[in-house]
Amino acid sequence: MFRFNQDNAAGALFGLFGTVIIVLSQQYPLGTMRQMKAGYVPTVLGAMLIVIAVVLVIRGFSSTSEPMGRWALRPWLLVPSSILAFSLLVQTGGLVLAGVACMLLAAASGLEFRWREQIILATLVTGSAAMLFIKALGLPMTFFPAI
Amino acid sequence: MELFDNLILGFSVAGSPMNILLCLVGVMVGTLIGVLPGIGPVGALAMLLPVTFYLTPTGALIMLAGIYYGAQYGGSTTAILVNMPGESSSVVTCLDGHQMARKGRAGSALAIAALGSFFAGTVSTLLIAVAAVPLSRVALSFGSPEYFSLMLLGLVGAVVLASGSIVKAIGMIVLGVCLGLVGTDVSTGVQRFTFGSPTLMEGIDFVTLALGIMGVTEIILNLARREATTEVISKIESLWPSREEAKASVGPVVRGTLIGSVLGLLPGGGGVLASYASYTMEKKLARDPRRFGNGAVEGLAGPESANNAGAQTSFIPMLTLGIPSNAVMALLVGAMMIQGIAPGPDVMLEQPELFWGIIASMWIGNAMLLVINLPLIGLWVSLLKVPYRLLCPCIALICAVGAYSVNYSITDLWFVAGFAFLGYIFKKVGCEAAPLVLGFILGPGLEENLRRSMVVGRGDPMIFLNRPISLALLTLTAVLILFVVLPHFRQSREVVFQDD
């Protein structure tokens, strides 16, 4: 039965990137070896990625390839979301709201999550960060949503 | 003496109150990061890149360099007291350092580590000052073919000497080079891989890439790992080593400094490789190798000096040639480019105060670490007890605010989140982020020098072999590749990195 391991999965990933790069590069002029144009180097690099992908996929068939291991789904999805939450709130909701949302989401990605403790931490840290950045350093951000 | 004039200039720059302060901030933050498990120097440097926008170029680099070698000091403190390497180059320190601590010699172990590192730091700072001038003279005569070969050597070396799968590391480099090509093509003005986005016209922002794939990914990895409880040794008696201990550590410190200084110069070198090499050497030289792993002073003094020496001399290729030899140097090159400085041999000629200021600050920083750190050990130990569940939201906030403050752009934050998301996937399939960042930094230069060389050589790739310096660099590259293919070296490489 086919199973993803670290090698063939990496191969698939590089293969995907290589293909996309080659396809996209075809819209740029290739040039010659003497006068390389915009598409030359990316096409060569894309081809290299595909060669690497093939090597890795072949290596993936050997039994020595390491298994992928458990995916930590929760932090993998929640930590980047904490950055996204900050981006969505910082201009409309102000630094305090954005910061608290960011910190709570990041905290929620761990295994031990206690609401009270994390809310206190988030408020304290974001509050002092806002004082530092807006009051002391004068960065162009706002504390709270402008109403 | 030119050397003395240069050093005096350096000390006058590094000795200004502002730069002393930045150096102090750097080494303190560095030590803190080295002590705290779960934040390495690379992640921390990535997080602090945005801060450098508000500093002078010299000040920014002094601070960032301080973080790097400060983290080495901090890392050995936790290695000795908790048997937990705060960062990768102190893995070896755990072996004998922690055993010494368990035998009641914690204070002595900390002092030997600090004094050894200080000695190594002093010698390697002098070495940088001596080697830098001739090296950049040579580099000034470089044309496009030489630079292309040099960059190739740097990238191949980084792969061979780094840990993990070589094929995957090459893949990550190639991918990094491709990411570096995004944006307006310098020579023809074509927009490449921008998808019509005005944000991408100037290329992918280095800060978002580094922060996402190194800083934020690190948070995910730490949360994914199960927390292990370890025994903290907080009882520290006298900080003074006994007479026998002091005597036993002189030889290893000197040898470690030498081996570390040489290995730090190599692409892909730096602290990690140096400390392993020194440990192996001390074990071979010892009359009774069985003591190693049970608290042998030599097994602590040698690697500790070597990793500091290696960390310092890895600045040489970065400062004189503009070639970063590891991920930390890549971040420093990135910081220079943010400040509008193109790293390379010109930096020393056109901005001597920057160059010599950084070098002098390294010595000042090492001295500060020695004076400040030993009395503060109690504080660092208490910080060790901060649980990661409280640390991680704060790190996430620093990353978010940092990335946002660069351009006040929401798109930048999306890039950070995207790279973090990708970074975890790469890590899960056994691919390291460091080669990708190296490729990203060197990518544009690599392409430009290749194109120019081909124009000069009229489309004949033999131009790279017909020029002596370029030929020598390519031969070195070939030798490195040969090493990887040879079975003997391959085995010892696996032994060296088996603990990672």
Side-chain angles (χ1 to χ4, degrees):
Chain A
M1 197 188 97
F2 178 80
R3 226 199 200 133
F4 268 123
N5 55 39
Q6 285 198 3
D7 285 331
N8 57 28
L13 206 58
F14 284 133
L16 179 74
F17 279 116
T19 316
V20 170
I21 289 165
I22 290 183
V23 169
L24 286 176
S25 308
Q26 296 324 300
Q27 48 180 315
Y28 314 123
L30 202 60
T32 61
M33 224 166 142
R34 182 169 173 181
Q35 281 291 342
M36 294 180 183
K37 293 268 168 60
Y40 199 99
V41 173
T43 309
V44 173
L45 292 172
M48 282 172 75
L49 278 178
I50 291 190
V51 173
I52 289 167
V54 172
V55 172
L56 283 170
V57 168
I58 292 173
R59 208 167 76 177
F61 283 112
S62 85
S63 53
T64 52
S65 287
E66 280 186 50
M68 294 260 271
R70 199 179 55 90
W71 276 74
L73 262 183
R74 213 174 138 120
W76 178 47
L77 297 175
L78 282 182
V79 175
S81 320
S82 72
I83 307 283
L84 286 182
F86 184 88
S87 81
L88 293 178
L89 284 169
V90 69
Q91 287 184 352
T92 49
L95 183 57
V96 174
L97 261 181
V100 170
C102 168
M103 286 184 73
L104 285 181
L105 266 170
S109 39
L111 288 176
E112 304 168 80
F113 180 56
R114 298 170 206 160
W115 273 105
R116 258 167 64 130
E117 172 189 83
Q118 294 292 357
I119 287 177
I120 295 171
L121 177 79
T123 328
L124 278 178
V125 173
T126 316
S128 34
M131 289 303 280
L132 173 72
F133 290 124
I134 302 172
K135 282 275 177 223
L137 296 174
L139 302 193
M141 293 187 235
T142 51
F143 278 98
F144 296 109
I147 306 162
Chain B
M1 272 290 281
E2 199 192 353
L3 177 64
F4 284 107
D5 293 343
N6 288 333
L7 283 178
I8 288 168
L9 170 69
F11 276 102
S12 69
V13 173
S16 79
M18 188 60 194
N19 286 339
I20 290 263
L21 183 71
L22 286 170
C23 185
L24 181 68
V25 170
V27 295
M28 295 299 273
V29 171
T31 315
L32 178 70
I33 279 149
V35 169
L36 292 175
I39 322 176
V42 177
L45 284 173
M47 277 182 244
L48 288 173
L49 274 180
V51 179
T52 60
F53 281 93
Y54 300 96
L55 304 172
T56 63
T58 315
L61 284 165
I62 285 179
M63 188 184 79
L64 293 178
I67 294 174
Y68 179 38
Y69 52 78
Q72 310 261 7
Y73 271 73
S76 25
T77 308
T78 42
I80 291 169
L81 295 178
V82 205
N83 200 20
M84 195 156 50
E87 45 100 37
S88 54
S89 69
S90 36
V91 172
V92 184
T93 311
C94 287
L95 301 175
D96 278 294
H98 185 63
Q99 290 303 322
M100 276 181 78
R102 293 186 66 176
K103 287 181 179 165
R105 304 297 303 159
S108 159
L110 289 168
I112 289 175
L115 289 167
S117 301
F118 179 67
F119 175 79
T122 310
V123 172
S124 49
T125 302
L126 269 175
L127 197 76
I128 298 177
V130 173
V133 179
L135 247 178
S136 23
R137 288 236 173 87
V138 173
L140 278 177
S141 66
F142 281 15
S144 294
E146 283 79 15
Y147 265 113
F148 178 78
S149 306
L150 184 67
M151 289 176 175
L152 212 59
L153 172 65
L155 288 174
V156 170
V159 167
V160 173
L161 297 170
S163 61
S165 155
I166 291 170
V167 184
K168 286 177 190 166
I170 297 175
M172 291 303 270
I173 287 183
V174 175
L175 203 58
V177 173
C178 292
L179 287 176
L181 299 183
V182 172
T184 312
D185 174 24
V186 193
S187 18
T188 59
V190 176
Q191 307 277 323
R192 284 190 288 187
F193 311 114
T194 56
F195 306 101
S197 145
T199 326
L200 281 176
M201 262 168 67
E202 285 172 27
I204 294 174
D205 194 36
F206 179 68
V207 176
T208 63
L209 176 78
L211 244 177
I213 213 160
M214 300 186 123
V216 184
T217 301
E218 214 169 52
I219 309 178
I220 305 179
L221 289 169
N222 283 320
L223 289 169
R225 209 174 289 143
R226 242 177 243 143
E227 276 185 52
T229 43
T230 29
E231 172 197 6
V232 181
I233 295 181
S234 45
K235 210 184 106 232
I236 298 161
E237 19 34 274
S238 152
L239 274 175
W240 291 107
S242 70
R243 191 173 282 247
E244 297 86 66
E245 282 168 338
K247 229 170 129 186
S249 41
V250 173
V253 165
V254 175
R255 284 191 292 269
T257 302
L258 287 177
I259 200 169
S261 300
V262 174
L263 289 177
L265 290 173
L266 298 179
V272 187
L273 188 70
S275 58
Y276 277 104
S278 163
Y279 192 78
T280 317
M281 183 166 77
E282 293 306 326
K283 204 171 170 179
K284 279 205 173 121
L285 285 175
R287 260 189 227 134
D288 181 13
R290 275 171 303 172
R291 285 189 304 119
F292 281 75
N294 292 315
V297 181
E298 298 92 330
L300 167 76
E304 268 303 300
S305 318
N307 85 36
N308 207 38
Q312 306 263 41
T313 52
S314 57
F315 279 86
I316 296 181
M318 194 277 278
L319 286 172
T320 55
L321 309 172
I323 305 289
S325 56
N326 54 40
V328 173
M329 292 303 132
L331 287 167
L332 288 177
V333 169
M336 285 170 95
M337 298 202 291
I338 287 172
Q339 300 273 1
I341 301 168
D346 299 328
V347 173
M348 194 194 299
L349 291 176
E350 284 160 19
Q351 300 185 298
E353 70 290 341
L354 170 82
F355 184 88
W356 295 104
I358 295 169
I359 288 174
S361 86
M362 287 195 219
W363 189 82
I364 296 178
N366 272 295
M368 280 184 189
L369 282 166
L370 190 62
V371 179
I372 298 166
N373 266 356
L374 290 179
L376 283 184
I377 280 170
L379 172 71
W380 300 135
V381 171
S382 62
L383 274 173
L384 263 174
K385 292 170 188 151
V386 178
Y388 195 72
R389 65 165 201 280
L390 298 182
L391 220 51
C392 115
C394 303
I395 302 175
L397 182 71
I398 295 175
C399 291
V401 175
Y404 181 66
S405 68
V406 176
N407 298 319
Y408 301 102
S409 139
I410 288 180
T411 343
D412 279 358
L413 289 167
W414 297 348
F415 273 102
V416 172
F419 282 126
F421 184 79
L422 259 180
Y424 184 68
I425 301 180
F426 280 128
K427 200 75 192 191
K428 281 313 269 186
V429 299
C431 296
E432 298 290 328
L436 183 120
V437 174
L438 276 180
F440 180 84
I441 288 279
L442 290 179
L446 208 60
E447 188 196 29
E448 210 184 318
N449 284 307
L450 173 67
R451 280 171 159 183
R452 274 200 222 139
S453 309
M454 293 315 271
V455 172
V456 176
R458 303 207 168 92
D460 185 1
M462 283 306 283
I463 184 167
F464 294 109
L465 301 179
N466 288 336
R467 303 179 51 142
I469 297 179
S470 166
L471 177 67
L473 291 166
L474 286 179
T475 315
L476 252 168
T477 314
V479 169
L480 277 178
I481 294 175
L482 213 67
F483 266 133
V484 186
V485 185
L486 289 179
H488 176 74
F489 178 80
R490 210 167 170 166
Q491 274 163 20
S492 48
R493 184 179 178 272
E494 271 156 28
V495 172
V496 166
F497 291 114
Q498 67 188 358
D499 297 303
D500 282 12

